[in-house]
Amino acid sequence: MTSAVSDTSSPDRVLAGVALMLGFCVTAPLLDVAAKLASGSVPVGQVTAARFVVQCALMAPFVWIMGLSLRVPRAHWLALVSRAVLLMVSTFCFIAAISVMPLADALAIAFVSPFIVLLVGKFYLREDVGPRRVGAAIVGFVGVLFVIQPSFAAFGAVALLPLGTAVGFAFYILVTRGLSRRVHPVTLQFHTGLIASLLCLPALMLAEGTGSALLDPVWPQGAAWLWLLGVGFFAALSHMMMTYALSMAPSATLAPMQYLELPVATLLGYLVFRDFPNALTLTGIVIIIGAGLYMIHRERVTARKLVTERAAPPI
């Protein structure tokens, strides 16, 4: 027991967790780049399906090699299906957005997700969330409005799609909180890919020949195959890196690092697509990052206070 505890809190494990989270921040925007490149010639629904089909195919050998069971208690299946549906919807909305919008703009709007999780936790789940963190969430929403305003003027209602991603991903995180303690991460990833694939593929078959720009499937040509594989590969890789990072290092240590996604996405958007946010969008991005980091800071302060109160001897 002693060795297990010391190993979990060892500096080497924390350092490995930080390295994996840095890897997530680099590989997650590569997923967005591949999706944007693929959406130039392949319908958004087909790109979304490829993300889950490839993820499922990549996870299957690991399930077998690691000797993991695919059996999930019946009580968890509703949560498992809900998780897959939420991720599928949020992925579809985001890919539809970046097919016309710059990566950094869409990702900045989608980063309202942590604020939604916090507000849902306070007002629906009755979690103990102080007024400062609520204030930070409101400031974060203001930053999102800074990003949406020029994006809406340039791209119309498409600029609202990342909000769909944010809402879907926020509830995806809330569902995952409960499942992650009961289902192995690799098994969870496999089932998510499988369920989402089983939902996406029939929808594409029904849309065949309809002429729908979003769903009517096409036969990919040339490099489009590579981009579709890249979407699934980087999705599986980035999410596994984040999952294992959280198992090695405290979430309070890793959470601020997730905001590195925004500058990485901005850099990749410029290098690959020659997109760069304007001054108003950059202001919004800075506000979102600042509000998010302050919210994380307040969570750390609250956690330390709780630990101190519990350690204090009774009077």
Side-chain angles (χ1 to χ4, degrees):
M1 179 66 72
T2 305
S3 61
V5 173
S6 61
D7 182 58
T8 301
S9 59
S10 69
D12 287 344
R13 281 181 62 84
V14 173
L15 188 60
V18 168
L20 285 170
M21 196 64 183
L22 286 173
F24 167 81
C25 292
V26 173
T27 53
L30 289 173
L31 153 64
D32 302 335
V33 169
K36 187 173 177 67
L37 289 168
S39 65
S41 59
V42 177
V44 170
Q46 192 172 349
V47 179
T48 303
R51 179 245 192 271
F52 293 108
V53 170
V54 174
Q55 174 182 320
C56 183
L58 288 174
M59 289 295 103
F62 287 98
V63 171
W64 179 71
I65 292 170
M66 297 172 72
L68 300 173
S69 172
L70 293 179
R71 296 185 63 183
V72 176
R74 187 176 299 177
H76 299 156
W77 270 103
L78 179 59
L80 198 61
V81 172
S82 299
R83 182 180 187 270
V85 170
L86 288 167
L87 186 58
M88 181 182 67
V89 171
S90 63
T91 300
F92 181 88
C93 288
F94 192 74
I95 295 174
I98 63 173
S99 65
V100 294
M101 288 176 63
L103 293 180
D105 296 42
L107 189 59
I109 297 170
F111 255 93
V112 77
S113 179
F115 308 127
I116 295 173
V117 171
L118 182 140
L119 294 176
V120 169
K122 177 175 176 60
F123 295 108
Y124 182 71
L125 301 178
R126 304 299 180 186
E127 294 178 351
D128 185 17
V129 178
R132 294 182 182 180
R133 280 183 284 173
V134 173
I138 293 172
V139 171
F141 275 109
V142 172
V144 169
L145 293 177
F146 272 78
V147 180
I148 287 179
Q149 193 277 328
S151 298
F152 192 85
F155 307 109
V158 172
L160 300 177
L161 284 172
L163 286 178
T165 297
V167 173
F169 198 73
F171 284 94
Y172 164 84
I173 291 172
L174 291 170
V175 173
T176 302
R177 279 182 182 176
L179 276 176
S180 61
R181 296 168 188 166
R182 300 176 177 90
V183 183
H184 192 280
V186 174
T187 304
L188 197 58
Q189 291 280 50
F190 173 81
H191 279 303
T192 299
L194 179 62
I195 294 168
S197 298
L198 293 175
L199 293 172
C200 287
L201 294 176
L204 291 178
M205 288 188 285
L206 289 173
E208 188 173 4
T210 62
S212 170
L214 292 175
L215 294 174
D216 191 358
V218 300
W219 189 257
Q221 300 294 323
W225 285 105
L226 181 61
W227 309 140
L228 290 174
L229 288 172
V231 169
F233 174 78
F234 288 120
L237 179 62
S238 61
H239 280 256
M240 287 306 300
M241 291 176 91
M242 180 176 64
T243 300
Y244 277 103
L246 289 168
S247 72
M248 293 180 176
S251 58
T253 301
L254 300 177
M257 299 175 62
Q258 190 173 354
Y259 286 91
L260 289 172
E261 270 192 84
L262 280 169
V264 172
T266 302
L267 177 61
L268 290 174
Y270 176 74
L271 293 176
V272 179
F273 305 106
R274 289 294 182 262
D275 292 330
F276 196 78
N278 59 29
L280 195 59
T281 299
L282 283 174
T283 301
I285 290 174
V286 171
I287 291 173
I288 292 167
I289 293 175
L293 293 177
Y294 179 77
M295 193 170 71
I296 292 166
H297 165 69
R298 289 306 308 170
E299 288 179 352
R300 285 178 167 178
V301 170
T302 302
R304 284 199 296 266
K305 185 177 178 182
L306 285 174
V307 170
T308 303
E309 290 174 352
R310 288 170 182 171
I315 296 174

